[in-house]
Amino acid sequence: MHFTVSEKARFSFISLVIIGVLGAQTFSGFRRTQRWWPFLAYPMYAETHFEGERIAVNHRIYAVTPDGVRHYLHPENDLKLYFWRHEGLARGAVEDNFQHNPLLRLVKDLYPTVERIEIEDYPMIITHDGPAPAPTRIVKTIPRATIDRWSK
C-alpha cells in the first residue's frame, strides 16, 4: 500500500499532536500545575493526607477599612469570580504571588480606602471518623503599601 505525500504529512501531523497531548498530560501530572488547562493534575495525583492534618478547603477575603470594619468579599457577588478562580487568586496572594494577580485591584476598586486585606482559611482536619471542621485563622494580611504597589 502506497501513501501520497499529503497522506504521510497528515499522518505525521496527527501523530505529533497525539504525542504532544500525552507529553503535556504527563508533564502536568508530575509538575502538579493548574496552569496547563486542559491538562490538569487529576485527583489521582493528589497528595496523601493523614490523621490530624489541617487542610485549607477554601479561603475568605476581607477588606479592612480605616474604621476597623472587616468587609467580607463574596467571590461571586462582590468579586465576580467563580469558585476556582477565587481560590487560585487567594492561594496566590497567601504565597505572595501578586505579579499577575488581579485580586488586590479588585478589592481596591470595591473599597478605595482599604487599609489592609485579610485572608482567612476555612480548613478541615482529618480525623479517624473522616474530615471535621477546624477553627479558622487569618493566614495572610496584606498591608496598604503592598496593595498600592501591585494594584496598578
Side-chain angles (χ1 to χ4, degrees):
M1 181 175 207
H2 296 286
F3 294 105
T4 65
V5 173
S6 65
E7 289 174 328
K8 288 180 183 177
R10 187 174 59 134
F11 176 78
S12 297
F13 175 74
I14 292 171
S15 297
L16 286 174
V17 168
I18 291 170
I19 290 169
V21 167
L22 292 174
Q25 182 58 56
T26 302
F27 179 77
S28 173
F30 289 110
R31 290 288 305 238
R32 297 197 35 85
T33 179
Q34 297 297 322
R35 296 180 185 214
W36 278 49
W37 186 91
F39 308 102
L40 304 176
Y42 294 129
M44 68 184 200
Y45 302 130
E47 297 173 12
T48 304
H49 298 289
F50 300 97
E51 189 170 348
E53 188 174 350
R54 178 185 173 99
I55 303 169
V57 179
N58 65 15
H59 294 86
R60 286 196 175 178
I61 299 171
Y62 293 88
V64 182
T65 51
D67 56 2
V69 176
R70 294 176 79 218
H71 302 274
Y72 169 62
L73 300 171
H74 189 277
E76 293 174 4
N77 297 341
D78 298 323
L79 299 174
K80 309 295 186 230
L81 300 171
Y82 60 92
F83 176 79
W84 291 113
R85 178 75 171 142
H86 170 264
E87 273 302 298
L89 295 178
R91 287 175 193 259
V94 168
E95 297 168 359
D96 290 329
N97 183 5
F98 301 119
Q99 189 169 4
H100 300 290
N101 192 334
L103 179 64
L104 304 183
R105 183 181 41 79
L106 290 170
V107 175
K108 190 175 175 183
D109 288 348
L110 287 170
Y111 293 95
T113 62
V114 65
E115 249 184 22
R116 67 186 181 275
I117 297 171
E118 293 178 346
I119 302 175
E120 284 185 348
D121 70 349
Y122 276 72
M124 301 294 275
I125 291 183
I126 304 299
T127 67
H128 180 69
D129 298 322
T136 63
R137 65 181 179 193
I138 296 173
V139 292
K140 185 70 175 182
T141 300
I142 304 167
R144 179 62 190 224
T146 303
I147 297 168
D148 288 339
R149 179 175 178 218
W150 292 103
S151 64
K152 298 175 183 173

